[in-house]
Amino acid sequence: MENTLLVVNCGSSSLKIALFDKDRQKIASMLAGRLNTPNARFRIGKQRDATKLPPNTTHKEALAVLMDTAQKKGLMPKQPAAIGHRIVHGGETFREAVLINDEVLAAIQACNLLAPLHNPVNVEGIMATRELFPLVPQVAVFDTAFHQTLPEHAFHYALPQNYYRDWGVRRYGFHGTSHAYMLQQAALRLEQSTAVTSIISAHLGNGCSITAIRDGKSVDTSMGLTPLEGLVMGTRSGDVDPGLFDYLQSKGVSAEQLHNELNHSSGLLGLSGQTNDMRTLSDLADQGDPSAQLAIDVFCFRLAKYVAAMMVSLNRLDALVFTGGIGQNSARVRQQTVNQLGLLGFAIDQHNNDDNGLNRGGRIDCKESRFPILVIATDEERVIAGEAARLAELN
Ligand code: AMP
């Protein structure tokens, strides 16, 4: 249990933790949910039945319970060797992961306004672990950091420049930890260094984003100021016409209602009117459900359009990479998307695609394809654990 690493991921009403051993193998994961509500609860790993927590349990209280439970079950020592926190927004301040001190904490708090739903709870997670384990080194790993290499033409919106100067309105990009991991994994498979690797990385989970990586650097990405822009997602709309705001206001839809619906009732859920779950949508589409089919069609069309758009930023493409729950598991989505990219020379091998490239090291392209196409499992928690160990100098 020596050198156990703790990874903390605080959501608005949830707290996810993962424990890794010194060889970066996952020992356990735990999830507390419905925090600050009367129905707070937690579960260990894939356990079916959740354990009730006292009503209105806070993030800090939940963390104490999870740590206590992990210790009693012999999953971790009295304290971890280092702690890695997933932080959603690092603004323009953070280009890489950092050891947390008071100055860093203040700089993270200064980014709160850019991600009001996420950063304040991330900060709460840091405060809680600092209180519980005051002597343990803590590291912040930012979703935005990998995209700090975006060139100006890619990160500026065509807005009056004082929006950027005064309020930081620009494209930041998210899922950076996952896209950086895709770069590293693709380079390994292609047997080349990351510094000369250029890929398009499509992270398709409940949240979805796509990134163009040129010679190891993020040069364009679909998410923007917030994680709402770009691809169709589980419940998020992705791109819409900003003219929508005015029009819907004239129909009596308030800004707050629209914000909620764009984030929580749109995307696959909004289009299908049934679910945000791609697996269920695939089953429904197989049964001939037209709204499920429409949701999948819009999802794949937008994704294909974005793959094409990402090529503008590259001078070579070593691989198109699919990851995330949908990217790793949905042969249907990959097939339908790649079928729309025939003119650009992408072509899929149906047999290898059907088993997620299992027997070909993740390769699912056919020999006629101009570019390799890869399926790679993402593991953001493991990357965060690695960064925590590196910066705490445990390696
Ligand atoms: P994530 O947020 O990365 O866990 O991804 C969640 C999404 O992945 C959900 O839409 C799931 O339905 C989808 N997903 C997981 N497994 C499959 C599968 N076998 N086929 C299609 N979609 C899947």
Side-chain angles (χ1 to χ4, degrees):
M1 276 203 293
E2 189 199 346
N3 281 356
T4 303
L5 301 160
L6 168 64
V7 173
V8 178
N9 184 354
C10 272
S12 51
S13 62
S14 67
L15 169 70
K16 259 196 233 169
I17 65 150
L19 293 166
F20 289 82
D21 68 15
K22 63 180 183 354
D23 303 317
R24 311 292 171 273
Q25 294 305 313
K26 196 188 268 188
I27 306 167
S29 56
M30 299 167 109
L31 170 70
R34 303 187 201 178
L35 298 175
N36 303 303
T37 77
N39 297 316
R41 56 190 61 200
F42 78 95
R43 69 180 77 230
I44 303 173
K46 295 202 162 88
Q47 207 178 49
R48 270 190 51 210
D49 297 322
T51 307
K52 272 190 165 247
L53 287 164
N56 304 315
T57 296
T58 62
H59 285 82
K60 191 168 127 187
E61 290 161 350
L63 182 73
V65 173
L66 295 187
M67 294 292 91
D68 190 48
T69 309
Q71 279 162 12
K72 285 192 177 130
K73 287 190 175 293
L75 298 170
M76 66 177 279
K78 251 195 143 56
Q79 57 180 31
I83 302 171
H85 291 269
R86 177 187 179 206
I87 309 293
V88 169
H89 220 305
E92 288 187 329
T93 313
F94 297 103
R95 301 181 74 86
E96 56 191 359
V98 285
L99 265 175
I100 300 172
N101 55 26
D102 290 343
E103 203 182 322
V104 166
L105 189 58
I108 296 173
Q109 282 172 311
C111 299
N112 279 4
L113 270 183
L114 287 168
L117 299 179
H118 298 102
N119 266 40
V121 276
N122 296 162
V123 168
E124 215 177 299
I126 296 174
M127 304 284 213
T129 47
R130 275 183 133 195
E131 209 166 295
L132 267 182
F133 307 114
L135 299 177
V136 176
Q138 313 227 8
V139 168
V141 181
F142 302 91
D143 267 25
T144 47
F146 182 60
H147 301 298
Q148 277 298 297
T149 50
L150 289 186
E152 290 210 29
H153 63 254
F155 77 65
H156 276 290
Y157 290 115
L159 291 168
Q161 276 301 290
N162 65 304
Y163 283 29
Y164 170 59
R165 279 196 312 269
D166 300 342
W167 299 320
V169 174
R170 53 158 286 179
R171 175 180 310 287
Y172 289 97
F174 298 87
H175 288 145
T177 310
S178 179
H179 292 302
Y181 186 61
M182 289 307 110
L183 166 69
Q184 187 199 10
Q185 291 296 309
L188 267 180
R189 277 157 222 227
L190 299 164
E191 297 183 353
Q192 57 194 51
S193 97
T194 54
V196 296
T197 298
S198 296
I199 62 168
I200 294 175
S201 162
H203 177 109
L204 312 174
N206 230 330
C208 301
S209 72
I210 186 164
T211 295
I213 300 173
R214 179 171 171 158
D215 293 331
K217 293 194 173 69
S218 171
V219 285
D220 193 14
T221 191
S222 58
M223 282 178 169
L225 173 71
T226 74
L228 183 56
E229 193 180 346
L231 301 175
V232 175
M233 311 183 209
T235 62
R236 281 172 258 171
S237 61
D239 295 343
V240 291
D241 179 351
L244 185 78
F245 287 80
D246 238 14
Y247 178 67
L248 288 182
Q249 219 165 14
S250 77
K251 298 280 174 202
V253 181
S254 70
E256 192 189 350
Q257 189 183 347
L258 186 54
H259 169 87
N260 278 332
E261 291 186 345
L262 290 175
N263 277 288
H264 305 298
S265 322
S266 299
L268 295 172
L269 174 63
L271 281 162
S272 69
Q274 300 176 78
T275 175
N276 62 340
D277 190 285
M278 184 57 88
R279 208 172 348 191
T280 311
L281 286 172
S282 283
D283 292 344
L284 288 167
D286 284 340
Q287 293 156 26
D289 185 300
S291 61
Q293 187 61 55
L294 176 69
I296 296 171
D297 290 349
V298 177
F299 183 95
C300 295
F301 175 66
R302 178 89 55 88
L303 176 58
K305 224 159 100 162
Y306 259 98
V307 172
M310 289 293 135
M311 292 189 78
V312 171
S313 292
L314 302 178
N315 59 354
R316 194 186 66 249
L317 180 63
D318 297 322
L320 167 63
V321 181
F322 287 96
T323 192
I326 298 172
Q328 287 165 221
N329 298 299
S330 177
R332 174 193 216 117
V333 165
R334 293 190 303 256
Q335 177 89 61
Q336 192 169 327
T337 305
V338 172
N339 284 353
Q340 287 171 302
L341 291 163
L343 189 60
L344 291 176
F346 292 92
I348 222 162
D349 178 290
Q350 197 189 333
H351 179 70
N352 287 321
N353 186 43
D354 284 345
D355 67 8
N356 304 321
L358 199 65
N359 299 315
R360 264 195 87 209
R363 286 280 295 257
I364 57 166
D365 50 294
C366 64
K367 64 177 188 309
E368 289 77 25
S369 185
R370 255 183 88 193
F371 308 104
I373 308 174
L374 291 167
V375 176
I376 299 177
T378 195
D379 197 343
E380 289 157 292
E381 288 172 342
R382 192 146 165 244
V383 178
I384 295 172
E387 289 290 75
R390 184 175 66 82
L391 287 161
E393 297 181 10
L394 300 179
N395 294 328

